[in-house]
Amino acid sequence: MMEKKVVVALGGNAILSNDASAQAQQEALIQTSKHLVNLVKEDYKLIISHGNGPQVGNLLLQQQAANSEKNPAMPLDTCVAMTQGSIGYWLANAMTNELKQANISKEVATVLTQVVVDENDEAFKNPTKPIGPFLTEEAAKEEAEKTGATFKEDAGRGYRKVVASPKPIGIHEAKTINTLVNNDIITISCGGGGVPVVGAELKGVEAVIDKDFASEKLAHLVSADMFIVLTGVDNVYINYGKENEQKLTNVTVAELEQYKAEGHFAPGSMLPKIEAAIQFAKNNPGKKAVITSLECLGDLTKNPEIGTTIVL
């Protein structure tokens, strides 16, 4: 088989479960790498992206707890960069060791990635993504007056800062990533959706980019042959959890858009993955997007029933 480029977007469960310690996250990534190496064995040129929601949230809490005049808390864009670095370091090490065990001679590189967004994106007018600690109403008002940040009440648990979640329009390091991949180097990039930047000066902004949309943008820019979005289930389902539950294996964009319009996919979980997969199939006619679980990666090329394949 001819080598093909594949972008794999890791879900949060591939890195962090209940234990937020470095050791536990490193152990999770070792297990994740065992599955990812299966694609390398199938001669895919591998480009890995990943989420960082829990990690950046924990880091913001740590920053806030230690915040002082002499040691001020770092802004959100910097925290995204910091977690890109730490997760990339763990994952690159884990992948390198798994490749050695499989007697595969390939290098792994992590690319700190800046993802360009439009400063006029409507998302900036209506921030919705909660980050950081829970505050009382009084503390939230005080913080809002001091910093200009927006706070919203979160499910009766207190008030949290909310930031915009703009759509990615470009990836500054796409050419660098492509050069690495074309030289047979496994790359880890677009961590946490990338560091959101605006304008020619690449100025960081307080925002969170959905990692599935950033991964789709990357897949398009590097001309990937396949875009794989990993989640907690092997396939996408309609009527999920009901008596008439139906597994989707091969589906067209038109069919998936119909299911989406009927409200089959939850906004906070499966919907962004569905939208990113649809976007890739539309932008890249003849190529496919796949939504499946990490555990299914090894069987993806052998069993047509594995995963949900989306084509135009």
Side-chain angles (χ1 to χ4, degrees):
M1 162 182 154
M2 197 174 79
E3 282 194 335
K4 289 185 176 182
K5 289 181 191 173
V6 58
V7 170
V8 179
L10 294 179
N13 60 342
I15 308 166
L16 178 63
S17 50
N18 298 320
D19 186 343
S21 69
Q23 186 179 0
Q25 292 184 73
Q26 284 170 294
E27 185 55 45
L29 285 167
I30 289 168
Q31 299 309 315
T32 294
S33 296
K34 292 180 190 298
H35 294 291
L36 290 171
V37 165
N38 286 322
L39 289 175
V40 183
K41 288 175 182 173
E42 295 284 334
D43 284 333
Y44 281 102
K45 286 180 178 286
L46 188 55
I47 306 157
I48 308 164
S49 62
H50 60 81
N52 74 342
Q55 292 84 0
V56 83
N58 290 343
L59 181 56
L60 285 165
L61 291 173
Q62 291 165 356
Q63 292 284 320
Q64 202 62 44
N67 188 29
S68 68
E69 202 173 317
K70 286 189 176 179
N71 185 26
M74 292 292 110
L76 177 57
D77 57 320
T78 301
C79 288
V80 171
M82 290 162 77
T83 51
Q84 266 196 36
S86 59
I87 296 169
Y89 152 58
W90 294 333
L91 182 52
N93 269 7
M95 281 297 295
T96 300
N97 289 328
E98 286 305 318
L99 289 165
K100 278 181 190 170
Q101 287 189 23
N103 291 316
I104 298 171
S105 180
K106 280 185 191 280
E107 291 183 27
V108 186
T110 298
V111 180
L112 186 70
T113 316
Q114 298 173 93
V115 175
V116 183
V117 298
D118 184 353
E119 55 193 323
N120 297 312
D121 191 304
E122 286 295 313
F124 286 108
K125 294 177 187 170
N126 180 33
T128 56
K129 198 81 176 173
I131 60 163
F134 287 94
L135 301 177
T136 63
E137 187 176 2
E138 191 182 337
K141 279 181 181 173
E142 195 179 304
E143 189 68 21
E145 284 170 16
K146 195 163 65 178
T147 63
T150 304
F151 287 82
K152 288 185 180 175
E153 200 273 332
D154 189 340
R157 295 177 293 175
Y159 285 75
R160 289 180 83 190
K161 179 179 177 177
V162 287
V163 297
S165 186
K167 289 285 180 7
I169 58 172
I171 294 173
H172 185 251
E173 290 78 14
K175 189 177 175 183
T176 302
I177 294 162
N178 212 20
T179 301
L180 289 167
V181 177
N182 288 338
N183 281 278
D184 214 20
I185 296 168
I186 295 168
T187 62
I188 301 160
S189 58
C190 286
V195 179
V197 294
V198 295
E201 294 176 351
L202 303 177
K203 183 187 173 191
V205 288
E206 285 256 308
V208 173
I209 303 167
D210 185 282
K211 64 99 176 134
D212 293 319
F213 292 134
S215 302
E216 187 283 323
K217 178 61 70 176
L218 175 67
H220 180 62
L221 291 174
V222 301
S223 302
D225 297 284
M226 183 163 55
F227 173 45
I228 301 175
V229 184
L230 297 182
T231 185
V233 289
D234 296 352
N235 288 72
V236 176
Y237 291 81
I238 54 171
N239 301 311
Y240 187 66
K242 299 175 183 174
E243 280 185 18
N244 57 341
E245 176 182 280
Q246 184 186 336
K247 179 169 82 170
L248 302 180
T249 51
N250 293 285
V251 62
T252 64
V253 164
E255 288 168 334
L256 208 51
E257 284 182 329
Q258 179 63 39
Y259 295 140
K260 176 186 155 186
E262 290 168 4
H264 283 284
F265 312 119
S269 56
M270 190 57 83
L271 186 60
K273 300 177 195 319
I274 296 289
E275 289 177 340
I278 286 172
Q279 192 72 36
F280 180 78
K282 278 184 172 179
N283 286 342
N284 303 276
K287 296 180 179 179
K288 64 183 182 182
V290 178
I291 301 175
T292 190
S293 67
L294 180 68
E295 291 74 20
C296 285
L297 282 183
D299 298 320
L300 206 57
T301 55
K302 305 178 189 81
N303 185 348
E305 292 291 303
I306 290 291
T308 298
T309 298
I310 301 102
V311 293
L312 190 58

